[in-house]
């Protein structure tokens, strides 16, 4: 079996032992005589899978009892509409635009009410996080929205915005479970799982109970009301059952690895190896302001498009795949999520050094 080092931004690398365990249980889950893929979501055995997954996530993130955990579908992008549909009581919300996904969420919100852009880093290709300590947030804004880690641009909020008493909503798709988090600072914290937690097809929404009401915007479909899913424990309709099962295995793997404190340390060590090299390299340069660097997504360039392309091609041949950067930034991007082993980053840096010497 020859596995590559997969630096994809998502769907992304998963822990090998989780994949092996899922493979072992593929035909017969714990003596049930069937695969989780074939199982009724109304069965006792599946009920215990989804409940255990939720319990483990609550333990990992220390989620208070007054927050609901919802396993939903439609990816993070569907939340761009679901959030205003459910939360825009005054038809007004503040958005901080620090990348492609925050921008898409901001544009979507304009369909439902007044979305106010209170800060942006678009002026410098989203290469930094704006100062959010004293923003002009409208008094009657229903919430303040951020994308906490920007997958494409490799930036991360190190300090949450001062929302001046307004509810904070955060898309954490690409930094989910990468470090400890104080859930009480958010009204809604959500993310697609396909970067750091599981296979594509599941989005996890952690939402404070007082924000779950019948009072949604007129015309909100039943399936897009948080209340529908909260009341039915994420089993209103058939959930993405197999995806949730794999997420549950990843939660158990994270617990075994020592939880989110241990993950943060592991991720900081990994990122330091690559950032230290970028800071001293004559050929490769990071593209993000130092204090805003992400631990998960690291974009870098040589400054020469042809050299970039040559690097990506040779890296792939050497077993380092999915390093091509997003078209808006160009160059390369290494996504080094929880499941990327430290040796993957060490070997990538060794390869980059060799490439630099040869070119």
């Amino acid at each position: 079996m020859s596995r590559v080092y997969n630096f994809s931004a998502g769907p992304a690398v998963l822990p090998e032992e989780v994949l092996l365990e899922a493979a072992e249980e593929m035909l017969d889950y714990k003596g049930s005589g069937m695969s989780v893929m074939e199982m009724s979501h109304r069965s006792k055995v599946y009920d215990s899978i989804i409940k255990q997954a939720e319990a483990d996530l609550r333990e990992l993130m220390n989620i208070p009892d007054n927050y609901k955990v919802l396993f939903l579908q439609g990816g993070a992008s569907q939340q761009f509409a679901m959030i205003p549909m459910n939360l825009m009581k005054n038809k007004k919300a503040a958005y901080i635009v620090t990348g492609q996904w925050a921008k898409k969420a901001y544009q979507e919100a304009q369909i439902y009410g007044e979305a106010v852009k209170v800060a942006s880093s678009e002026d410098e290709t989203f290469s930094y996080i704006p100062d959010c300590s004293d923003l002009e947030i409208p008094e009657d804004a229903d919430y303040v929205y951020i994308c906490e880690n920007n997958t494409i641009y490799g930036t991360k909020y190190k300090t949450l915005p001062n929302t001046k008493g307004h509810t904070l909503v955060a898309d954490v798709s690409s930094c989910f479970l990468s470090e400890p988090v104080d859930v009480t600072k958010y009204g809604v914290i959500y993310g697609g799982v396909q970067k750091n937690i599981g296979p594509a097809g599941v989005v996890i929404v952690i939402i404070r109970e007082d924000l779950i009401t019948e009072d949604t915007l007129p015309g909100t479909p039943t399936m897009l009301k948080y209340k529908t899913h909260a009341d039915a424990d994420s089993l209103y309709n058939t959930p993405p059952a197999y995806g949730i099962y794999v997420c549950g295995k990843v939660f158990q793997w994270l617990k075994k690895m020592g939880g989110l404190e241990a993950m943060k340390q592991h991720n900081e060590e990994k990122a330091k190896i690559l950032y230290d090299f970028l800071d001293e390299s004559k050929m490769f340069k990071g593209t993000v302001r130092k204090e805003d660097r992400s631990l998960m997504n690291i974009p870098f360039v040589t400054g020469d498009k042809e050299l970039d392309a040559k690097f990506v091609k040779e890296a792939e041949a050497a077993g380092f795949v999915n390093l091509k950067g997003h078209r808006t930034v160009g160059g390369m991007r290494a996504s080094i999520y929880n499941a990327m082993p430290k040796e993957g980053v060490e070997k990538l840096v060794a390869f980059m050094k060799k490439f630099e010497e040869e070119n």
Side-chain angles (χ1 to χ4, degrees):
M1 177 176 88
S2 107
R3 301 251 308 152
V4 293
Y5 288 110
N6 178 9
F7 293 94
S8 169
V13 61
L14 285 167
E16 209 163 282
E17 63 184 82
V18 167
L19 297 176
L20 289 167
E21 209 174 288
E24 251 167 63
E25 294 173 348
M26 179 54 84
L27 293 176
D28 178 10
Y29 177 75
K30 299 198 170 164
S32 65
M34 58 180 138
S35 173
V36 176
M37 277 190 193
E38 311 169 289
M39 205 173 266
S40 164
H41 61 297
R42 304 277 175 222
S43 64
K44 268 200 167 71
V45 60
Y46 189 74
D47 200 54
S48 70
I49 290 173
I50 193 169
K51 291 220 165 42
Q52 186 63 52
E54 180 179 334
D56 287 335
L57 180 62
R58 282 186 176 278
E59 187 186 326
L60 278 167
M61 288 181 76
N62 202 6
I63 299 172
D65 290 344
N66 65 323
Y67 282 75
K68 286 274 193 205
V69 173
L70 309 175
F71 294 99
L72 306 178
Q73 299 176 73
S77 296
Q78 186 155 285
Q79 294 304 309
F80 299 168
M82 217 163 153
I83 285 156
M85 282 175 164
N86 286 268
L87 302 188
M88 257 194 187
K89 315 292 185 201
N90 299 326
K91 291 286 194 77
K92 191 181 284 185
Y95 279 72
I96 301 170
V97 178
T98 51
Q100 208 86 328
W101 303 112
K103 188 178 179 177
K104 284 186 171 167
Y106 162 68
Q107 288 166 338
E108 189 77 7
Q110 291 168 14
I111 300 169
Y112 302 101
E114 190 189 339
V116 183
K117 192 194 290 186
V118 291
S120 168
S121 55
E122 199 163 5
D123 60 338
E124 291 180 34
T125 328
F126 300 124
S127 59
Y128 69 101
I129 298 287
D131 176 5
C132 299
S133 57
D134 187 21
L135 299 173
E136 281 185 42
I137 296 164
E139 251 330 280
D140 55 347
D142 292 300
Y143 57 87
V144 176
Y145 182 100
I146 62 169
C147 179
E148 199 164 315
N149 185 88
N150 297 284
T151 323
I152 293 174
Y153 302 97
T155 58
K156 164 84 164 66
Y157 285 80
K158 302 291 161 74
T159 314
L160 292 174
N162 172 5
T163 65
K164 305 193 171 167
H166 297 81
T167 297
L168 179 64
V169 175
D171 173 354
V172 296
S173 294
S174 52
C175 58
F176 223 154
L177 301 181
S178 62
E179 58 182 26
V181 56
D182 179 356
V183 175
T184 62
K185 291 184 172 167
Y186 306 81
V188 181
I189 181 167
Y190 80 90
V193 303
Q194 72 279 6
K195 298 171 183 296
N196 220 10
I197 303 174
V202 186
V203 59
I204 297 173
V205 176
I206 300 159
I207 177 168
R208 211 173 56 227
E209 282 176 351
D210 61 287
L211 297 171
I212 304 171
T213 61
E214 282 290 7
D215 175 26
T216 54
L217 294 186
T220 301
T222 304
M223 277 295 287
L224 296 186
K225 293 178 179 174
Y226 289 126
K227 191 163 174 32
T228 301
H229 301 285
D231 289 353
D233 292 329
S234 301
L235 293 164
Y236 173 75
N237 70 323
T238 311
Y242 194 79
I244 293 166
Y245 153 80
V246 179
C247 292
K249 287 208 175 300
V250 172
F251 301 153
Q252 290 185 345
W253 175 78
L254 285 167
K255 281 168 65 174
K256 204 171 92 180
M257 297 292 282
L260 302 190
E261 274 297 345
M263 265 356 265
K264 182 181 189 195
Q265 200 183 334
H266 171 64
N267 289 326
E268 284 174 344
E269 281 169 19
K270 280 190 307 191
K272 187 179 187 319
I273 294 166
L274 185 46
Y275 282 128
D276 283 354
F277 171 68
L278 290 173
D279 288 342
E280 65 187 37
S281 167
K282 302 266 185 291
M283 177 184 282
F284 298 100
K285 293 277 167 284
T287 58
V288 171
R289 190 166 75 180
K290 278 187 185 175
E291 55 268 36
D292 300 324
R293 285 171 164 178
S294 165
L295 294 178
M296 297 283 101
N297 313 99
I298 305 182
F300 55 96
V301 294
T302 64
D304 176 338
K305 281 198 170 94
E306 278 167 26
L307 200 55
D308 286 350
K310 183 180 184 205
F311 174 80
V312 170
K313 194 177 168 197
E314 289 184 13
E316 183 149 349
F320 305 101
V321 305
N322 295 315
L323 281 166
K324 191 174 192 293
H326 192 270
R327 60 183 181 280
T328 55
V329 184
M332 286 69 68
R333 169 181 52 179
S335 292
I336 51 172
Y337 299 120
N338 286 345
M340 172 58 69
K342 188 172 166 182
E343 68 172 42
V345 183
E346 288 169 343
K347 286 184 175 171
L348 173 65
V349 166
F351 176 81
M352 289 167 76
K353 281 182 178 158
K354 183 167 159 280
F355 183 87
E356 182 164 342
E357 282 159 18
E358 290 168 3
N359 291 277

